[in-house]
């Protein structure tokens, strides 16, 4: 694997979207509401291939027992676990409204429980949730069924329960093993605890174990982060997600508890990233792209080798592009040529369901231009290459004429060694793969019209 130097990382470290969708969620509008979403669901049901096309499900559980200061997720901090039961009742209503539109028993090949902390729910509640989903959908054999794990809320017995419920993939929120960093972000979890849980998960037989890390947290230094990298290499999860911390206290209230002087400077952040890339390569991980790494035999690494990589709101995926139904507060979905997002507050979410309405707060009907650019961006983000002819046939355009301005910009990137242009297509170089988001940004029409990118995290 070609390693990006600190100099290159610093040079191309500019704000930009992560392209888990195109257009990105910040472009959703309130003019798209429940009526438009219902129409998209009904169109899906009437489509000739509706029953043959699997669904992806995302379920958002917003509750957490304690506040992590870096968190930018939609969450509700509470120690009152009795709040889980009524929330499940509202999820059941939301599912019922969906199956009334698309029918019962539609196949599902991918399920992800996120939050918040899904493991805030007790075993009985998680069983109730999975039972409700199985009664309404057909969770097909061989699908990917994952859940985010707060290591502080589970033990081996709970992991065994999750396996019995049908989950085959786990994602552990680690962030950093250094005690000083954990204290600074209000998330103390001894490394020994995580090691024991991962060992138990392997013995139980989970197919894939992911670990989330963050660089740029308060009290982190290149030296301290090196120790975390060594521990992660020893832990050897199947997948690693490495995120850069974006300090935006004006947008995310919990981050106001972080002392700015404790944050590492830009130079140290770049150093930590560069060392992480080198450490993961040395440990034998494949750089899948963006923030994802995987062992060579993991399904994600295999999908990249075989050109079958896809991207959705959970990041890179082996599952083919398909409709996604988002359930719960703030959940995002994709049905047909539309995107949608549920109400972001629990009160608004419940009020809509109390009135028999799907709790859609905003969304977007994707235009023909959006669809064309989405195809280009996702080809670059997932495959690292694009053949002009494929876009020309699918969208009835002359690629070089339609994207003349974009190809001119890519000419500069070619000179910098990030892409290779030919008469027939675009190829992202091994070095350019570290900056593939920046390559994709060239084709983002919304960024062309709005160069104010402060809303986004950095490319790396």
């Amino acid at each position: 694997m070609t390693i990006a130097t600190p100099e290159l990382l610093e040079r191309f470290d500019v704000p930009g979207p992560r392209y888990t969708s195109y257009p990105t969620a910040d472009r959703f509008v309130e003019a798209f509401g429940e009526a438009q979403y219902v129409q998209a669901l009904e169109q899906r049901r009437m489509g000739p291939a509706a029953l043959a096309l699997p669904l992806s499900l995302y379920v958002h559980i917003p509750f957490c027992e304690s506040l992590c200061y870096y968190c930018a997720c939609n969450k509700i901090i509470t120690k009152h676990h009795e709040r889980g039961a009524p929330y499940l009742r509202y999820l059941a209503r939301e599912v019922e409204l969906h199956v009334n539109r698309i029918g019962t028993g539609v196949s599902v090949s991918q399920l992800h429980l996120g939050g918040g902390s899904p493991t805030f729910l007790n075993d009985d509640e998680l069983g109730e949730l999975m039972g409700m989903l199985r009664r309404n959908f057909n969770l097909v054999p061989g699908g990917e069924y994952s859940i985010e794990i707060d290591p502080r809320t589970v033990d081996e017995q709970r992991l065994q329960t999750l396996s019995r419920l049908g989950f085959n993939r786990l994602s552990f929120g680690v962030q950093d093993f250094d005690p000083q960093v954990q204290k600074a972000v209000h998330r103390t979890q001894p490394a020994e605890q995580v090691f024991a849980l991962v060992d138990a998960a392997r013995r139980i037989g989970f197919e894939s174990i992911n670990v989330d890390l963050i660089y740029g947290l308060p009290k982190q230094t290149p030296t301290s982060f090196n120790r975390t990298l060594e521990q992660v290499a020893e832990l050897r999860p199947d997948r690693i997600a490495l995120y850069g911390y974006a300090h935006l206290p004006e947008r995310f209230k919990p981050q106001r508890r972080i002392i700015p002087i404790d944050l590492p400077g830009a130079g140290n952040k770049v150093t930590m990233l560069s060392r992480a890339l080198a450490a993961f390569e040395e440990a034998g991980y494949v750089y899948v792209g963006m923030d994802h790494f995987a062992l060579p035999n993991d399904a994600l690494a295999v999908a990249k080798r075989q050109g079958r990589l896809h991207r959705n709101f959970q990041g890179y995926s082996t599952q083919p592009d398909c409709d996604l139904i988002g359930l719960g507060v703030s959940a995002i979905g994709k049905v047909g040529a539309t995107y949608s997002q549920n109400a972001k507050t629990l009160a608004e979410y419940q009020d809509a369901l109390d009135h028999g309405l799907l709790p859609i707060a905003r969304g977007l009907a994707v235009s023909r231009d959006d669809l064309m650019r989405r195809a280009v961006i996702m080809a670059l983000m997932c495959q690292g290459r694009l053949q002009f002819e494929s876009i020309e046939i699918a969208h009835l355009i002359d690629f070089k004429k339609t994207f003349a301005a974009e190809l001119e910009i890519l000419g500069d990137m070619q000179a910098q060694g990030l892409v290779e242009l030919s008469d027939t297509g675009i190829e992202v170089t091994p070095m350019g793969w570290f900056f593939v988001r920046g390559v994709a940004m060239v084709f983002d029409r919304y960024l062309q019209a709005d160069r104010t990118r402060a809303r986004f995290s950095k490319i790396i």
Side-chain angles (χ1 to χ4, degrees):
M1 181 173 76
T2 304
I3 289 297
T5 65
E7 293 75 21
L8 278 173
L9 292 171
E10 187 170 6
R11 180 180 179 186
F12 294 106
D13 189 20
V14 298
R18 307 189 69 77
Y19 293 118
T20 53
S21 70
Y22 181 84
T24 50
D26 61 303
R27 305 296 174 178
F28 295 178
V29 295
E30 292 181 0
F32 184 102
E34 201 252 4
Q36 289 76 20
Y37 182 61
V38 166
Q39 182 180 27
L41 291 175
E42 292 178 342
Q43 288 175 344
R44 184 189 197 281
R45 182 174 190 173
M46 293 185 296
L51 292 177
L53 296 175
L55 275 175
S56 179
L57 296 180
Y58 171 74
V59 183
H60 190 80
I61 309 298
F63 305 111
C64 291
E65 278 195 12
S66 64
L67 179 66
C68 301
Y69 295 164
Y70 57 80
C71 185
C73 300
N74 186 290
K75 72 276 181 187
I76 297 170
I77 307 301
T78 179
K79 293 187 181 296
H80 295 283
H81 283 257
E82 65 272 16
R83 299 185 68 176
Y87 187 72
L88 290 178
R89 290 195 291 271
Y90 278 99
L91 282 174
R93 291 186 196 178
E94 188 179 3
V95 167
E96 181 182 4
L97 290 173
H98 275 92
V99 298
N100 287 344
R101 302 291 181 178
I102 64 173
T104 304
V106 175
S107 293
V108 168
S109 60
Q110 185 179 50
L111 166 67
H112 184 79
L113 264 62
S117 297
T119 47
F120 177 92
L121 300 178
N122 63 37
D123 291 352
D124 289 341
E125 289 168 340
L126 285 169
E128 179 185 342
L129 173 59
M130 291 300 291
M132 181 267 290
L133 294 176
R134 290 183 185 280
R135 285 193 300 273
N136 289 280
F137 301 100
N138 172 31
L139 274 59
V140 301
E144 294 187 357
Y145 307 122
S146 60
I147 182 171
E148 296 174 7
I149 299 291
D150 180 343
R152 300 168 297 177
T153 63
V154 299
D155 55 18
E156 181 170 352
Q157 185 175 352
R158 290 213 78 192
L159 294 181
Q160 290 173 342
T161 298
L162 294 176
S163 178
R164 286 196 300 270
L165 291 176
F167 293 103
N168 53 25
R169 298 173 183 274
L170 303 177
S171 181
F172 287 94
V174 171
Q175 322 317 344
D176 195 298
F177 280 125
D178 187 90
Q180 288 296 108
V181 176
Q182 292 183 358
K183 183 178 179 180
V185 299
H186 199 238
R187 189 186 177 101
T188 300
Q189 50 190 33
E192 296 79 12
Q193 181 184 33
V194 176
F195 272 74
L197 289 171
V198 169
D199 180 64
R202 288 198 175 103
R203 283 188 277 105
I204 292 168
F206 285 94
E207 293 178 18
S208 184
I209 298 169
N210 176 81
V211 162
D212 286 346
L213 300 176
I214 301 178
Y215 67 93
L217 292 173
K219 298 293 186 180
Q220 270 183 343
T221 67
T223 300
S224 73
F225 198 57
N226 275 352
R227 291 193 294 268
T228 288
L229 294 174
E230 291 171 359
Q231 289 170 292
V232 171
E234 182 183 353
L235 186 64
R236 203 160 180 79
D238 301 283
R239 299 178 184 179
I240 300 169
L242 176 68
Y243 303 108
Y245 171 66
H247 190 58
L248 300 170
E250 67 282 359
R251 288 184 59 194
F252 306 113
K253 189 176 179 180
Q255 296 184 359
R256 298 173 194 172
R257 303 192 184 204
I258 288 177
I259 302 172
I261 198 172
D262 287 342
L263 292 169
N268 279 342
K269 281 189 68 175
V270 170
T271 298
M272 285 187 272
L273 173 59
S274 180
R275 290 183 180 178
L277 296 174
F280 295 150
E281 180 193 28
E282 185 177 345
Y285 284 88
V286 174
Y287 180 58
V288 175
M290 289 277 294
D291 35 44
H292 286 59
F293 303 80
L295 292 174
N297 60 346
D298 184 83
L300 207 58
V302 173
K304 183 185 178 183
R305 285 197 301 272
Q306 297 178 349
R308 297 186 293 102
L309 206 59
H310 299 276
R311 193 158 177 81
N312 58 29
F313 286 106
Q314 278 73 60
Y316 283 111
S317 170
T318 63
Q319 296 294 303
D321 185 37
C322 62
D323 287 343
L324 165 68
I325 288 180
L327 302 168
V329 175
S330 77
I332 294 178
K334 167 185 171 290
V335 177
T338 70
Y339 293 113
S340 58
Q341 184 172 26
N342 282 351
K344 292 186 177 182
T345 70
L346 191 58
E348 292 173 314
Y349 171 78
Q350 293 175 336
D351 181 66
L353 291 167
D354 283 339
H355 287 85
L357 301 173
L358 287 162
I360 303 300
R362 63 187 191 129
L364 189 70
V366 180
S367 69
R368 289 183 63 187
D369 183 77
D370 291 336
L371 289 170
M372 174 179 65
R373 291 176 182 272
R374 182 169 74 184
V376 172
I377 287 171
M378 292 305 168
L380 294 171
M381 293 286 294
C382 296
Q383 317 308 333
R385 67 180 65 89
L386 172 72
Q387 292 296 313
F388 298 152
E389 185 180 21
S390 64
I391 302 298
E392 290 174 336
I393 292 174
H395 298 275
L396 303 177
I397 63 162
D398 182 313
F399 192 97
K400 293 180 181 179
K401 288 183 179 179
T402 301
F403 294 109
E406 289 83 353
L407 289 172
E408 184 176 350
I409 296 172
L410 287 184
D412 293 335
M413 289 189 166
Q414 179 173 239
Q416 295 159 352
L418 303 185
V419 299
E420 293 180 359
L421 301 177
S422 69
D423 288 338
T424 59
I426 303 165
E427 182 95 17
V428 179
T429 67
M431 181 61 67
W433 194 243
F434 291 101
F435 312 100
V436 66
R437 181 165 34 154
V439 177
M441 285 165 60
V442 172
F443 292 91
D444 190 327
R445 181 174 62 86
Y446 297 91
L447 287 184
Q448 294 170 7
D450 176 14
R451 292 298 178 183
T452 305
R453 300 175 185 171
R455 66 170 65 92
F456 300 117
S457 63
K458 298 276 185 150
I459 281 184
I460 297 297

